[in-house]
Amino acid sequence: MCLFCGTKPFGFEAASLSRRHFMAGAAAMGGLYAAARTVEPVVALAQDGKADIIIENAKVVTLDPKTPRAEAIAIAGDKIVGVGSRRDLEQFRGPSTRIVDAGQRVVVPGLNDAHTHFIRGGLTYSQEVRWDGVPSLALALQMLKEQAARTPAPHWVQVMGGWTPHQFKEKRLPTLEEINAATGDVPCYVMHLYDRGFVNKAGLRALGWNRDTPEPFGGVIARDGSGMPTGLVVATTSLVSLLSVFAKVPKLSPEDQITSTRHMMRELNRLGMTSLIDAGGGGQNYPEHYQAIAKLAADKALTVRIGYTLMAQRPGREIEDYKGWLAKAKLYEGDDYFRLCGAGEYTVWAAGDNTNFAKDPIMQPPIMEEKLTEVLTFVAQNGWPFRMHASFDFTAQRILGVVEKVHKQVPVDKLRWGLEHCEGITARSLERLQALGGSLGLQNRMSLDGEAYVEKWGLEASADAPAFGRIREMGIPYALGTDGNRAASHNPWVGIQWLVTGRTVGGLRHAAERNLLSREEALKAYTTNGAYISNEEDKKGTLSVGKWADLAVLNEDYFSIPEDRISQMSAALTIVGGKVVYGDGQYAGLAPAALAVAPDWLPIKHYAGYGRQASADFGSRHAGLDDGRALAAAMIADAMPTVVGDDGRSWTLGCGCGLL
């Protein structure tokens, strides 16, 4: 019996799964950028008065069909007041107007991550050695060695996700021997996605693990011939097995966690991000674990706009969570920088499925429908939007069955509800979702885990994971998110490159041509579309008069840079609500100074943000299909202990709990 939800484990035979895929032939949209370039800039005036900032000599990509391109943009207070040519905006120039010469750089709406775990991730960001974008395992191990020499007791060296062995030249995971050699007597924990974790010898001693240490919930501990833990922890049915280790790693003080969050915000601003939707997380209870971010919001210290959802915390008792929260929390309460925008991404834990494509899928227990009906009816009666995690179509089918039932009693088609992830969703499920007014929150998890998906489900299925061509053809609202910063990197440009190329970070092309997006479509997926999900399209997402002045002046021309360098994009200047929050190079003096990193042993003091060293040898890292599948097959075989039934069939055991 599951200690979380009280349900008995259910078996699942992988061979019985349907592998239906979308029909080919959906025509891809394209040429938006090329067509829009022929439109002359049109001035748009909002009000009298002078601007605080005018950005001119720019290539402004507004994503507004009324004025798709411009040369300048005027800002007064926190709003855009003019978009057009330099001459058109001359009337906004006043004695105190700051003129910013963009130097013919591209200006875009600020990026909007429509699904991430920033509130949780910010608390430990400054402690983490981030391997996102690191091109070789040798360099990654060198980072561990250097950080171990700096890290004082009782703290650990920690790598908590956002990377894949396919990004390395060596095309493999680190070994425990290599991690032990690099870190010595300093405890270290390295987590690979939600797949496995490596604890070095010093970490095992700190944890007190021995022959009698029980297996963690939802996973197994690898042991040597004498029964002693080796340091490898593999998640089988739940990521709780990995996060239970991380929970024992010493954390920073509450004050330092707030500072860590501010450091992560600056990194997001460096990448041109101005908004996000936080999807909650296991162990992220409301309101206790929102105190740090709420204080920053109260102090007007946020430099990204945050819409957050509330995720159920107690498996089997989800309805109690939501009844308690809705009694004291109001939908959309907060301000323009921090506000509550719905329920999810888990409203019922038993309804979830895998977050790692190397694992055998887990079937939800029969009680799922009963529990989900109860919760969705309640939140819908209160007018709350809701989001539900569904990687595979069999999960989506069962969730949609519940939503259809609820809709007959309480209409949901105006709630902007939706499904998240949906790599395996089929045409029939898309039709059902569309009939209910649903939307899709899609992420770039395939950019890191695509090789495993190909090995597990085949090339044909991976070509439509997700089926963007069909989704666009049907006109279903969708937005892209990173799912950062454990299941994937927090860098949205990784996802934008994946949308454009259909390639994983290891270089494996999995997506069919019909599912590739143009550069403008990909940019829109990480800007305009997310504003729809949070019900803010009248306020942000395009550079239009009357909307918030949230924008990024890019360091390179996104529309002409080689496609395999898109993931290396960053901002030269980022503005949120009319305020400069980040500046690089000639614009550094316009922005607030970076926070000092203290204490100085923290990794963020010594390692640059994503990708500054990642692309020098990108061409040599492109994997062939055989190379990628060989590594993925080895990982899957190692990760999935099997149970053979009396009838000779292989089964995976588990329930739906703890799969975020």
Side-chain angles (χ1 to χ4, degrees), residues 302-321:
L302 294 180
T303 61
V304 292
R305 302 185 191 274
I306 301 170
Y308 62 94
T309 59
L310 298 184
M311 181 183 130
Q313 295 298 307
R314 294 181 293 173
R317 300 173 64 186
E318 294 91 348
I319 189 64
E320 297 176 29
D321 285 343

Side-chain angles (χ1 to χ4, degrees), residues 369-411:
E369 279 82 358
E370 176 186 335
K371 292 292 185 181
L372 188 58
T373 299
E374 181 182 37
V375 171
L376 294 190
T377 299
F378 178 73
V379 299
Q381 286 172 338
N382 284 273
W384 276 42
F386 54 89
R387 315 297 300 179
M388 290 295 300
H389 175 121
S391 298
F392 297 102
D393 190 63
F394 54 82
T395 307
Q397 287 181 38
R398 291 181 63 180
I399 291 173
L400 288 168
V402 172
V403 178
E404 289 165 344
K405 178 181 178 181
V406 171
H407 179 64
K408 292 178 181 179
Q409 304 298 321
V410 186

